[in-house]
Amino acid sequence: MAEEKKEAVTKAKKMADPVKASIDIATQEMIKRAQELGVETVFDRAENMKACQIGAQGTCCKNCSMGPCRLPLPKGGIEGEDERKGLCGATANTIAARNFARMVAGGAAAHSDHGRSVAEVFMSAARKETDAYKIKDINKLLAIAPHFDVATQVEVDGEQLDRDIDEIAVEVGEKALNEWGKAEGELIYAKRAPEALYEKWKKNGVLPRNIDREIVEIMHRTHMGVDQDYKNLVKQCTRAAIADGWGGSMLATDLQDILFGTPYPLQSEANIGIMKEDHVNVIVHGHEPVLSEMIVAAAQSKEMIDYAKSKGAHGIQLGGICCTANEILQRHGVPPAGNFLQQELVIVTGACDAMVVDVQCIFQNLANVAKCFHTKLITTHPIARMEQDNVIHIEFDEHHAIEDAKRILKIAIDNFENRGADVMIPRHKAIQIAGFGVESVEYHLGGTFRGSYYTLNDNIINGRIRGGAGVVGCNNARQRHNDGCITMIKELIKNDVIVLTTGCNAIACATEGLLTPETAAVFCGPGLAEVCETVGIPPVLHMGSCVDNSRILLALTEMVKAGGLGNDISDLPAAGSAPEWMSEKAISIGHYFVVSGVYTVFGGMLPTTGAPVFEKYLFEELENIYGGMWDMVVDPIEHAHAIIAHIDKKRKALGIDKARERILMDMADRQKLETA
Ligand code: SF4
Ligand code: MSK
């Protein structure tokens, strides 16, 4: 063991039990391996530091230096008047609502700032300031241009001619960038929502003015001594969350699709076992695909492959963690090596020659783990640096993007020969089909002839598909890795609920083999299995990264437009879920789903439990305003059944509950019905 490794040896008193820590065998093997090597991981740290229960309840305020004021819920709950107060008099409901709002602000800021970076690269590409990026998906550009009132045709001598693509791109880019800080008007994409939903937002005064403003206003309102009405605070959460889902995130998705290509289904693999002992392994991690796209291009170049071979490797194996992984998976088939909780374990293989990180969900402890091995840890973003001296910073610039990517790859290739004897790559990996989007779901389930979501709706109306669920989000070291996601989703598909997934939940589904059409025959109820087998899709559709939850919003909108399932998203037999959530982004996503009309269930613990009145507002009263509401169910099977009960409630309201009963009848029952 190297000297550095001895220094970094775990100080943890207790070790995680690998089998209790994860359902994934590769993860279990690597936790054990880390423990044998004396390398501390998040799983061990979770054993040794318990969460603060007051913070977990949402009722610790540190918004001024008279605090922190801690207002735990008394054992047995509140009887009579709730007399808990901070020094300034802030109630538990105000404190929990302020904390919740700040989580929405953090999440919306992360997604939207990501979107802004993409919009800036988009502008560089449109203005031809860089050779590395081009407008790749012209059809998507032409499809979104009308939302920005950008003409795609021009009249010349009384004749309508196609407008120059670069001109359209520059105008779309300028108008898109304006969405972050315009002085007047409302968020343009709000009008992409079903009309009934847009009108609801308008009536309730929650249409976002611009993206940045709604986030800044949360920070102002939650400053000491400003907004003290939990309902008014939730109203501002709503504006900021809509600005995220229907703004920053949706713009990020659209502009990425135009720059890098709209995803279509493709085959790949997933899990740590995608790493190869005889290849240079480069793992990209984070969220923004602008650099990783260039790394993919550079890694496929003859120059880089030859260079890797000259150093004794058979080639370059790219892999990913978290949502950068999902971005390059859905467009290029690059396999994810793992999700959020597996990031340290990828380095523990001893075969990770470089880990390249951008923004969000990156453990600070990666640098300590990298110190124990030969791995070069490379930060690339000016807003996300690490202080440890073994971290290399190569600041990415779109104006010399491909050169930056090659420089990074060369560092990895040069590092190949420095691997120690401690290489252990688990064998486990699974096949997956990923790359679904609004367009491809339309193609697979609607057909090119109809070009709509008609067939999907038809299958819901006739009961083969009971309903749909968007199951998204993270892992959380307070829960068994991947267990909540997978147990819950298996219960949903067993009950004929089709699942749309993104983020680390999608990677969990991939590693458990749920993203193949063959899964349908094994795990699905008869109706969903029949549909999946007929059209050749998995019962769980991988829709991309965290910002691509906007694809789920648009898919729900398409279902409303296709007809037969009501006039608004809140009428659909559909729900949202994040069984293992952990990040502020998840709270922002959850809230924009709720205020878009979706019943949204979180696992683990929501920071609302210490403030029952505020929680009741989120869990019950929001439904009367937006048609969607929050819920929290810890047990994954009960979590699934809460979703199924909601779907059945919506089916009944639509008058399609009887159709499903007929589907579930056997042949004799059906014959009786037909002859009756
Ligand atoms: Fe305490 Fe009020 Fe200050 Fe919060 S704002 S820390 S509740 S005094
Ligand atoms: S990466 S936000 S752990 S899904 Fe998008 Fe995964 Fe959650 Fe990060």
Side-chain angles (χ1 to χ4, degrees), residues 13 23 36 47 109 123 129 206 227 252 257 272 293 311 319 420 473 480 487 598 656 659:
K13 294 181 207 94
I23 60 165
E36 281 163 9
E47 290 295 317
M123 279 309 294
E129 292 166 2
V206 293
D227 202 345
D257 282 356
I272 310 176
E293 276 285 326
K311 298 287 178 175
R480 192 178 184 211
T487 309
V598 181
I656 56 172

Side-chain angles (χ1 to χ4, degrees), residues 460-635:
I460 292 174
I461 293 164
N462 70 28
R464 281 189 187 85
I465 299 177
R466 190 176 199 147
V471 186
V472 307
C474 323
N475 305 131
N476 186 322
R478 301 290 175 202
Q479 293 166 256
R480 192 178 184 211
H481 169 243
N482 287 356
D483 190 14
C485 297
I486 300 301
T487 309
M488 211 285 286
I489 286 177
K490 282 187 179 166
E491 190 65 15
L492 287 180
I493 59 179
K494 188 174 112 188
N495 285 281
D496 293 321
V497 175
I498 192 167
V499 172
L500 309 182
T501 183
T502 62
C504 288
N505 188 86
I507 301 174
C509 291
T511 55
E512 286 299 312
L514 294 183
L515 303 188
T516 63
E518 295 73 31
T519 310
V522 184
F523 294 112
C524 293
L528 181 58
E530 189 185 332
V531 174
C532 290
E533 278 162 25
T534 308
V535 294
I537 56 164
V540 182
L541 303 178
H542 188 326
M543 304 283 281
S545 66
C546 291
V547 293
D548 294 332
N549 284 311
S550 61
R551 298 191 201 276
I552 300 181
L553 292 177
L554 291 177
L556 295 172
T557 304
E558 288 303 318
M559 287 169 71
V560 173
K561 279 194 213 157
L565 293 174
N567 297 320
D568 200 349
I569 290 175
S570 57
D571 296 329
L572 298 171
S577 159
E580 297 179 39
W581 78 280
M582 66 84 206
S583 83
E584 290 170 327
K585 291 180 287 175
I587 294 290
S588 182
I589 294 166
H591 200 64
Y592 71 62
F593 269 99
V594 166
V595 299
S596 298
V598 181
Y599 168 61
T600 302
V601 194
F602 272 38
M605 180 136 169
L606 274 172
T608 54
T609 51
V613 175
F614 165 62
E615 187 174 80
K616 187 167 184 288
Y617 185 66
L618 293 181
F619 285 23
E620 294 175 24
E621 293 168 46
L622 279 187
E623 188 180 15
N624 301 325
I625 309 173
Y626 302 107
M629 65 288 202
W630 283 88
D631 202 355
M632 186 183 90
V633 184
V634 178
D635 178 80

Side-chain angles (χ1 to χ4, degrees), residues 61-69 71 85-90 95 98 223-225:
C61 180
K62 54 181 178 58
N63 291 11
C64 88
S65 76
M66 295 198 288
C69 297
L71 276 60
K85 286 185 190 71
L87 260 63
C88 65
I95 290 171
R98 285 198 304 221
H223 182 276
M224 196 273 165

Side-chain angles (χ1 to χ4, degrees), residues 48-356:
N48 289 282
M49 188 176 68
K50 296 296 166 202
C52 163
Q53 284 311 300
I54 308 170
Q57 289 178 9
T59 48
C60 171
C61 180
K62 54 181 178 58
N63 291 11
C64 88
S65 76
M66 295 198 288
C69 297
R70 293 160 300 146
L71 276 60
L73 192 68
K75 280 204 176 82
I78 306 282
E79 273 179 35
E81 199 163 327
D82 187 351
E83 288 176 349
R84 294 175 294 160
K85 286 185 190 71
L87 260 63
C88 65
T91 64
N93 295 316
T94 302
I95 290 171
R98 285 198 304 221
N99 288 335
F100 189 86
R102 285 193 168 201
M103 292 186 87
V104 171
H111 287 144
S112 300
D113 215 32
H114 163 171
R116 187 201 323 265
S117 297
V118 175
E120 285 168 353
V121 173
F122 182 92
M123 279 309 294
S124 293
R127 288 182 178 142
K128 302 255 183 297
E129 292 166 2
T130 165
D131 293 334
Y133 302 96
K134 303 236 166 352
I135 302 301
K136 197 165 180 182
D137 190 338
I138 292 172
N139 287 337
K140 185 125 191 182
L141 174 67
L142 296 177
I144 70 158
H147 295 299
F148 294 99
D149 251 339
V150 172
T152 54
Q153 295 205 311
V154 62
E155 195 177 311
V156 178
D157 299 332
E159 208 184 328
Q160 289 294 324
L161 299 178
D162 288 342
R163 223 181 137 197
D164 179 72
I165 291 298
D166 293 331
E167 260 179 47
I168 297 172
V170 169
E171 225 176 290
V172 165
E174 281 169 354
K175 291 202 171 169
L177 258 177
N178 204 28
E179 289 297 278
W180 272 266
K182 64 189 179 190
E184 290 177 338
E186 64 190 34
L187 187 78
I188 288 173
Y189 273 5
K191 283 215 165 111
R192 292 182 80 173
E195 201 181 333
L197 179 56
Y198 173 84
E199 290 302 330
K200 242 180 237 173
W201 292 338
K202 194 170 177 184
K203 186 175 133 219
N204 286 289
V206 293
L207 280 169
R209 293 154 290 185
N210 71 49
I211 298 165
D212 287 349
R213 179 171 181 176
E214 305 310 353
I215 296 164
V216 168
E217 193 169 309
I218 285 186
M219 298 312 287
H220 180 187
R221 285 194 194 208
T222 56
H223 182 276
M224 196 273 165
V226 187
D227 202 345
Q228 296 160 18
D229 173 357
Y230 66 89
K231 290 186 187 174
N232 208 36
L233 282 160
V234 171
K235 194 169 175 179
Q236 185 54 25
C237 290
T238 301
R239 286 198 194 95
I242 297 169
D244 175 356
W246 297 85
S249 286
M250 200 172 278
L251 286 162
T253 298
D254 278 350
L255 300 180
Q256 286 170 180
D257 282 356
I258 296 169
L259 277 179
F260 310 132
T262 300
Y264 278 91
L266 42 71
Q267 183 172 316
S268 185
E269 296 178 324
N271 216 343
I272 310 176
I274 62 101
M275 296 171 77
K276 293 188 181 138
E277 194 155 353
D278 56 5
H279 279 54
V280 175
N281 291 301
V282 181
I283 303 295
V284 292
H285 173 19
H287 282 77
E288 288 182 8
V290 285
L291 170 62
S292 51
E293 276 285 326
M294 292 301 112
I295 291 185
V296 173
Q300 289 165 351
S301 71
K302 187 170 180 313
E303 178 195 351
M304 285 295 119
I305 294 170
D306 286 349
Y307 188 60
K309 287 183 177 165
S310 76
K311 298 287 178 175
H314 285 194
I316 303 168
Q317 175 65 49
L318 286 186
I321 296 281
C322 282
C323 285
T324 301
N326 287 324
E327 297 285 3
I328 55 173
L329 163 71
Q330 65 183 344
R331 297 192 179 89
H332 304 286
V334 174
N339 56 7
F340 178 65
L341 284 183
Q342 292 172 290
Q343 56 185 284
E344 292 164 308
L345 304 179
V346 165
I347 299 178
V348 174
T349 59
C352 177
D353 300 301
M355 181 175 275
V356 187

